[in-house]
Structures are given as C-alpha cells and as structure tokens.
Amino acid sequence: MKFNTKVIHGGQHHDPSTGAVMPPVYQTSTFVQTSPGQPLNPDYEYSRAANPTRSALENALASIENGTRGLAFSSGLAATDCVLRSFKAGDEIIAMDDLYGGTYRMFTRIYKDSGIKFHFVDMNDLEKFKSLINENTKMVWVETPTNPLMKLADIQEIAKITKENNILFAVDNTFATPYLQKPLDLGADIVMHSATKYLGGHSDVIAGALIVKDEALGAQLHFQQFATGATLGPMDSFLVLRGIKTLHLRVQRHCENGAKVVEFLNNHPKVKTVYYPGLPSHPYHEIAKKQMSGFGGMVSFTFVSGKKEDAIDFLEKVKVFTLAESLGGVESLANHPALMTHASIPEDKRKEIGITDDLVRLSVGIEDADDLIEDLKQALA
C-alpha cells in the first residue's frame, strides 16, 4: 500500500462480530475467561495489557511508520518515559541540544537522580557527537525538526554511527509525521510521537506513541508499558485512529499553508529571522530535502527589534491564530516558547541554544491561507 491508502486501511480489519467498518470503542476494563487462566480470546484478559480499540490504533501506527509494532500511551511523555525505563544507573544517553521542554525536563529533573547521564549536543557536529560515545552509551535521542528552532539531524548518518556502536537510536517524529519522514526506514530503532499533535490532529486528545522495527524490542517496551500502566484508553485510541485516517490530507494542507505563511513572514520588515526547513537559507535545508518529502506547518520567527514585548504584543493581537500551547491541530496556534512550552528549560540554556525572548512559534493550520496571512499582517501592524 502507498501511504495515502495505509492511513485508512493499514493494519486495519472490519470488526469480526458485527462487520463494523470502524473499530468499536471497547469500553471495558476486563474480559471473560472460560476457565481460570483461559480467556475467551487469548489476546485479551485485562485492558491495561491490551484492548481491541487500542490494538487497532497500534496496528495502524506500526503500518504508517513501517514498523513491526506500535504502542499507544497516555501522552507523548509517557511514551518517552517508557523508553527511559530501559536504562539503569551508569548508562549514558546522548540527546539533541534543542528539545521539547517536557523532554528536557524529564531527562534533567525526573531522571537526574537515577544515575543515568545525559549529554546534550548539536547532532550536526558529528565529530563532537562521536567523541561522546563510550562503552556506557546506550541510546541517542533526537528530534528532527526540533521544537522550536526547526533544527534538523541527518537520521541516516546518525544511524550509521549508532549501528557501528550497537547503540539504540530513537527519533521524535512529532513535527514531521510519517507522511513527511520515516525514521525507521532511515535506520532508527524507535520512533516516538506526541500523538496529541498531528496524528490526532483535532486538539481533542492527549496521547503518545512508540513504533519499533525489532520485534524483541517491541515486546520489551510493551512489558514496560504494561508493568507501569501508562496506556491509552479506548475512547482516546478511537480518536487518534480517526485522526490518522485524514493525516495525509491535513499534513498536505499544513505544508501548503506553511509555505505561504513563511513567504509572507520572510518579506515582512518587522521580522528578523524565519526558522523553516523549506527555506533555502535554512542551515539544514539540504538535510530536509534529503529525508523529508515536505517541510511541514511548523514555523518560528524573531523580531528585528529583538524585544520580548513585541512578541507578546503580536501574540495578544492575533485573531485567527489562537494563543495556546500544543500544535498540529486543524486550527492555527501561536506560542511564546520562552514563557510557555519551553519555560522549564533554564534561561541560560535557552539562550545558549537560541530560544530568545522574542521568538514566536506558529503551528499553521488548515484554514484559508489568505485569512491566516491577513491575521499575521494586522497583528504585526
């Protein structure tokens, strides 16, 4: 199947008992057993371990990322936490220097006393990256494109290094989605999504996902999920699965609108720098062309004035764009990373990686592009 067919049919089956085209919401905590230890259906005993609605979503996740197993979680951070539970004191993890604030917070505050050592590095400096690898290095974690500076990492090149050193390689594919980028095909071992974002696509659910290529790794991660309990409920699973079925159409429009918004911002006298991998001026534009089939709907920009007040003034004036955290929904959202999504990152660290106080991040939705540009124009006026 090609991707546009996979999002609708990949890994999916009509309900065997009724013929329902969409999987029913199996709103049940437990399943009948015919004898002690003998469930009526061997796949289902208790919904924390497996639920038919969640299974339908997990099969779809595996299909669209070209993996062998998908796992659905109660949030993207729950999915990330499940991966980290694979490691012990003394292990080391190398992570990209520009990360979602919640990921950085988890790495540096929740796991700070566990004995796991984290290194943060610009993953485009491959020599610096390789210099950090030692016998204790167990995983590399990257986002590409990153949140909020749209930095990219060359998945294929990093995968070559991790395979040579027998290190797990995980990619947060939230911004790109499997419509634009498939990390497992490029050599990654684990793909993570905040399914709250583009996969769900309608700002009505909190969910996370992991997809893997190796079946043994999938079984290990499923055990960790089962044992710790961060599973996605059946109704939320249904909502994400519904969202996936229109993913290709939505992301295509996100890309089209994103390009138009970038063109407007890039020529506006009050805008200093636009961060968007589709721009030829973007430092990692060539990597984007190499590993992505489109450039997405996420855009960040700064002001010529460099003033935090100008960013706040702009965000208070937008009308079609909504001032809110999150991204990837059908509606356009605007965000101030330093005060909102990345406030948990210390100020000196934010400045070091380039998250300035005048930085604005836009999640360009699927509205009419002319209305979005008119809104930006009046808010910047």
Side-chain angles (χ1 to χ4, degrees):
M1 291 182 186
K2 291 184 169 60
F3 188 83
N4 292 359
T5 308
K6 271 188 176 183
V7 292
I8 297 169
H9 298 290
Q12 299 304 295
H13 307 282
H14 300 152
D15 180 60
S17 59
T18 65
V21 173
M22 281 296 289
V25 179
Y26 286 90
Q27 199 72 52
T28 183
S29 60
T30 192
F31 302 85
V32 70
Q33 300 193 15
T34 56
S35 183
Q38 299 294 320
L40 183 65
N41 185 320
D43 293 329
Y44 302 108
E45 297 179 29
Y46 189 63
S47 276
R48 174 160 46 81
N51 175 282
T53 315
R54 190 167 77 243
S55 295
L57 169 60
E58 292 174 336
N59 291 338
L61 291 167
S63 174
I64 62 176
E65 283 283 12
N66 294 337
T68 61
R69 184 160 196 169
L71 297 169
F73 293 79
S74 53
S75 71
L77 285 173
T80 304
D81 182 62
C82 181
V83 176
L84 290 181
R85 290 178 184 275
S86 305
F87 308 108
K88 62 183 186 303
D91 290 343
E92 298 187 15
I93 294 172
I94 301 172
M96 201 145 177
D97 58 350
D98 182 23
L99 291 176
Y100 163 55
T103 306
Y104 182 84
R105 178 178 58 225
M106 180 184 290
F107 286 4
T108 60
R109 294 177 65 180
I110 299 301
Y111 280 90
K112 67 175 182 178
D113 296 325
S114 68
I116 300 173
K117 186 175 182 180
F118 294 89
H119 303 276
F120 298 94
V121 65
D122 180 352
M123 295 302 298
N124 288 284
D125 186 344
L126 293 180
E127 291 307 312
K128 177 75 177 293
F129 161 50
K130 287 192 283 188
S131 74
L132 294 171
I133 295 173
N134 60 61
E135 62 183 10
N136 296 319
T137 307
K138 297 296 187 278
M139 184 176 72
V140 173
W141 182 281
V142 305
E143 289 178 21
T144 180
T146 63
N147 182 3
L149 294 172
M150 312 302 156
K151 293 174 69 175
L152 275 81
D154 191 320
I155 297 172
Q156 274 188 314
E157 291 303 311
I158 295 170
K160 289 177 186 175
I161 297 167
T162 56
K163 281 181 169 45
E164 287 171 3
N165 291 275
N166 196 30
I167 300 167
L168 279 177
F169 179 23
V171 176
D172 182 338
N173 202 30
T174 300
F175 270 26
T177 81
Y179 181 69
L180 302 178
Q181 178 174 270
K182 293 185 176 62
L184 296 181
D185 290 354
L186 296 169
D189 300 298
I190 303 171
V191 170
M192 194 285 288
H193 284 275
S194 172
T196 307
K197 314 305 194 297
Y198 287 104
L199 297 186
H202 293 77
S203 301
D204 56 6
V205 65
I206 300 290
L210 295 177
I211 305 96
V212 300
K213 203 86 169 177
D214 180 73
E215 292 183 7
L217 177 60
Q220 174 193 330
L221 292 171
H222 175 258
F223 172 76
Q224 287 164 197
Q225 179 191 35
F226 163 73
T228 57
T231 53
L232 192 63
M235 188 64 214
D236 289 344
S237 296
F238 178 87
L239 290 172
V240 176
L241 184 59
R242 180 199 64 175
I244 285 174
K245 291 185 183 294
T246 59
L247 178 67
H248 57 308
L249 297 173
R250 289 184 288 104
V251 176
Q252 182 179 333
R253 180 55 63 88
H254 286 299
C255 291
E256 293 167 358
N257 284 357
K260 292 175 181 177
V261 163
V262 165
E263 183 181 9
F264 168 76
L265 291 172
N266 209 35
N267 292 296
H268 197 282
K270 288 188 178 179
V271 173
K272 181 180 180 182
T273 304
V274 179
Y275 299 91
Y276 185 69
L279 283 171
S281 59
H282 190 285
Y284 309 115
H285 178 62
E286 293 304 314
I287 296 177
K289 288 200 301 181
K290 171 184 169 183
Q291 67 189 27
M292 298 174 70
S293 59
F295 304 116
M298 297 303 301
V299 183
S300 295
F301 69 94
T302 58
F303 290 79
V304 170
S305 68
K307 292 181 179 178
K308 176 182 179 180
E309 293 76 15
D310 284 348
I312 292 173
D313 182 62
F314 165 82
L315 291 165
E316 289 176 347
K317 287 181 177 176
V318 290
K319 293 181 172 62
V320 181
F321 281 83
T322 299
L323 175 58
E325 295 191 0
S326 200
L327 57 103
V330 292
E331 66 289 307
S332 293
L333 300 177
N335 165 59
H336 189 277
L339 293 175
M340 296 167 70
T341 52
H342 290 68
S344 60
I345 297 178
E347 184 178 1
D348 60 338
K349 180 66 177 177
R350 290 199 306 266
K351 288 181 177 178
E352 179 186 327
I353 60 179
I355 303 176
T356 56
D357 287 344
D358 67 326
L359 182 73
V360 168
R361 190 195 73 188
L362 302 177
S363 174
V364 180
I366 65 172
E367 303 94 339
D368 190 287
D370 290 341
D371 289 333
L372 296 178
I373 291 169
E374 283 301 313
D375 189 33
L376 296 174
K377 190 181 295 182
Q378 66 82 20
L380 286 166

